[in-house]
Amino acid sequence: MKRIIFAFLSVIACALDLFAQEAAPVEVFPTAPYDRYIIFQSLALFWVAIVGLIVIIRMKLKEIERVQKMGIDREEKDIPLLD
Amino acid sequence: MSCQRLRNWIEERYDVEGMKRLARHKLVPVHQYEIWYYTGGIAMFLFILQFITGMVLSFYYIPYFEHANKSIIEIVTKLNMGWFFRSLHHWGAQLAITALFIHVFSTFLLKSYRKPRELLWISGFMLLGISIFFGLSGYFLLWDERAFAAVRVATGGAGNLPVIGGFIKAFLRGGLDVTGDTLTRFYAFHVSVLPLITLFLVGIHVLLVQYHGMSVPMSLEKKPLKQIPFFPNLFYKDLIIWLLVLGLTVTLATLLPPEIGKKADPLAPAPENIKPEWYFLFLFQTLKLFPGEILGMNGETIAIILISCGILFFFLIPFFDRRSSRGEKSVLFTWIGVFYTLYFIVMTIIGFLS
């Protein structure tokens, strides 16, 4: 009898799985509003830094091209060296 | 040790001035197609990013089938910035493979593979193949049901190749079916075998680029072209593009972090409507075109043979295109290049939408 009751309860326990809800998807992004705010703020600052660096590199590049155009970057031959 | 003393210490031992002179003397032609020169640099930059983010993730990932999925969930939900590094690694991989595809197709259409750059093409094409395998093995490390089904399909497809198919399938799976052994094997591929081969091939590829110099499109070969030094002119332009790519990768990683599916169950049926990663979609769609049986033979086997022949032809294109090697126009191979490019794009879009 005990075995029959145990088997019956096991079947019910397994059948309950059919009514179980789908497991909630894993949160792959922080959910707290403060964390989200900090992340988006950091992203905006990151882009400001990238734009700033690009502006500096472009200025440097223009200066290099200006110097190359004038030809003063090339070494002269037989230039006297100060010891 | 002051900065000047350190500089003197290095200069006494190494010919720094000679190296600087060499960098200044490397010239790069300027023309309307020079934008394609940057795609290789972008791919290399993203490879470096992948190495760094991959190393960080490997501190916490557990390559065992019972813990793999859970360890990723813990990386994403419990570790400080874990979600960000995982997302950065995911988007870095997507963009690296995109950059490599653009690099390969642009090299094809500009005929940059022609004599004497055949080995450059070969090493670059092998790098593309390795990157795709990097993608597949990395995807499987998630150990979720979609990744599990994708690897079962991919390794099963390789198994359809005649003669060597069975060996390849068993070698990749580490057994008859996809199991926990496959996960351990793919982890070994992903973190040790493939990075070593990649480093070796990137080294050869970069060395060959230095040796041969930048390729000039055939239509411009006889025209006098302005040349600029690689360092600092092109290097600074490369830096600007790398910064933009870094910004794009970080933005995608922040706004679109990849999902984590349910833990894989080897005994469960494959989920409905599964699709492989986008760079396999063109193969997936091509396989769908073939019926189950052709003239009494397995349709999938015939499809795999035909696809393999198409890829082999693409791989050996410098040796087929003799006219380009002689410096003559080869319209046929331009059309072949256009066909390959369009086929890849159209089939990927159809696979994505269907």
Side-chain angles (χ1 to χ4, degrees):
Chain A
M1 189 63 185
K2 272 183 189 172
R3 279 188 185 174
I4 294 168
I5 292 169
F6 181 72
F8 180 69
L9 288 175
S10 303
V11 169
I12 288 177
C14 291
L16 283 176
D17 281 356
L18 296 173
F19 300 99
Q21 280 186 325
E22 283 258 320
V26 180
E27 290 290 346
V28 287
F29 190 72
T31 44
Y34 181 72
D35 287 347
R36 283 174 177 245
Y37 169 72
I38 292 289
I39 288 165
F40 292 128
Q41 191 190 45
S42 305
L43 183 65
L45 283 173
F46 185 71
W47 270 108
V48 171
I50 285 179
V51 171
L53 274 169
I54 288 173
V55 169
I56 292 168
I57 293 170
R58 277 189 66 88
M59 280 162 62
K60 177 99 180 150
L61 195 63
K62 274 192 176 171
E63 178 61 13
I64 289 166
E65 281 168 354
R66 193 179 69 87
V67 168
Q68 283 170 347
K69 210 173 177 182
M70 285 194 294
I72 52 175
D73 60 319
R74 274 172 240 140
E75 281 176 26
E76 282 180 40
K77 278 180 186 170
D78 307 323
I79 191 164
L81 290 170
L82 291 173
D83 201 5
Chain B
M1 200 186 278
S2 71
C3 200
Q4 187 56 47
R5 280 181 67 191
L6 178 69
R7 198 176 293 167
N8 291 344
W9 189 90
I10 294 169
E11 280 177 1
E12 275 171 25
R13 283 154 184 82
Y14 303 100
D15 184 16
V16 179
E17 202 47 50
M19 283 188 245
K20 279 186 188 168
R21 214 175 303 126
L22 192 75
R24 270 198 296 267
H25 286 176
K26 182 179 161 50
L27 297 172
V28 180
V30 182
H31 50 77
Q32 72 255 43
Y33 302 112
E34 68 172 60
I35 185 125
W36 303 111
Y37 288 155
Y38 298 104
T39 51
I42 292 171
M44 200 169 82
F45 170 73
L46 287 165
F47 264 89
I48 296 166
L49 191 72
Q50 287 305 94
F51 270 76
I52 296 166
T53 51
M55 272 189 261
V56 175
L57 291 174
S58 70
F59 289 146
Y60 298 98
Y61 178 73
I62 304 170
Y64 183 62
F65 73 98
E66 276 188 16
H67 307 296
N69 189 260
K70 199 174 163 225
S71 71
I72 293 179
I73 293 173
E74 286 191 353
I75 287 171
V76 169
T77 54
K78 290 186 182 167
L79 288 178
N80 197 12
M81 298 293 281
W83 68 271
F84 179 68
F85 277 96
R86 192 223 155 199
S87 191
L88 206 57
H89 196 66
H90 169 86
W91 281 108
Q94 307 297 321
L95 293 178
I97 294 176
T98 310
L100 275 171
F101 268 114
I102 296 171
H103 191 48
V104 164
F105 284 126
S106 63
T107 306
F108 192 133
L109 291 170
L110 292 171
K111 311 270 174 63
S112 300
Y113 54 73
R114 67 189 188 276
K115 189 182 169 186
R117 293 182 175 80
E118 293 94 336
L119 285 180
L120 256 168
W121 170 265
I122 299 280
S123 58
F125 195 90
M126 285 164 83
L127 274 169
L128 174 69
I130 283 169
S131 304
I132 289 171
F133 192 31
F134 251 127
L136 180 72
S137 56
Y139 186 47
F140 187 57
L141 297 187
L142 270 174
W143 194 255
D144 65 5
E145 51 186 9
R146 297 176 72 84
F148 191 86
V151 168
R152 194 175 254 170
V153 172
T155 50
N160 275 324
L161 271 172
V163 189
I164 52 166
F167 170 74
I168 293 174
K169 190 165 106 176
F171 176 70
L172 290 175
R173 288 182 172 180
L176 290 174
D177 202 357
V178 179
T179 58
D181 289 343
T182 320
L183 178 72
T184 320
R185 196 162 276 228
F186 271 42
Y187 180 73
F189 284 134
H190 196 76
V191 303
S192 65
V193 180
L194 296 178
L196 275 177
I197 301 172
T198 304
L199 278 179
F200 175 70
L201 284 174
V202 168
I204 288 181
H205 198 75
V206 172
L207 201 73
L208 286 171
V209 171
Q210 302 309 310
Y211 182 77
H212 292 300
M214 299 295 206
S215 160
V216 178
M218 283 174 76
S219 54
L220 303 170
E221 216 168 21
K222 280 160 193 149
K223 289 180 188 166
L225 291 173
K226 189 189 157 195
Q227 290 194 313
I228 57 165
F230 174 79
F231 192 85
N233 299 47
L234 199 82
F235 178 72
Y236 279 137
K237 286 181 184 174
D238 258 333
L239 267 185
I240 291 173
I241 289 173
W242 292 354
L243 278 170
L244 288 172
V245 171
L246 181 67
L248 176 70
T249 318
V250 168
T251 308
L252 286 169
T254 310
L255 302 181
L256 301 166
E259 299 292 325
I260 303 172
K262 273 200 308 194
K263 186 181 170 182
D265 178 4
L267 299 174
E272 280 178 28
N273 293 328
I274 57 155
K275 277 182 197 171
E277 287 282 271
W278 68 268
Y279 38 86
F280 284 117
L281 281 175
F282 78 103
L283 288 175
F284 185 65
Q285 274 310 115
T286 310
L287 284 174
K288 275 191 190 173
L289 294 176
F290 286 80
E293 202 176 283
I294 303 168
L295 302 169
M297 289 167 73
N298 185 350
E300 200 179 338
T301 306
I302 293 174
I304 296 282
I305 293 171
L306 288 176
I307 291 167
S308 304
C309 289
I311 294 172
L312 193 68
F313 178 73
F314 195 69
F315 178 58
L316 297 173
I317 210 86
F319 305 103
F320 288 113
D321 188 4
R322 308 302 303 165
R323 289 176 72 91
S324 290
S325 299
R326 289 195 296 266
E328 297 166 16
K329 267 191 173 182
S330 64
V331 184
L332 174 67
F333 280 85
T334 306
W335 282 111
I336 290 173
V338 171
F339 172 74
Y340 267 94
T341 313
L342 285 178
Y343 186 83
F344 176 78
I345 295 170
V346 171
M347 282 305 203
T348 305
I349 292 171
I350 293 172
F352 193 74
L353 296 176
S354 63

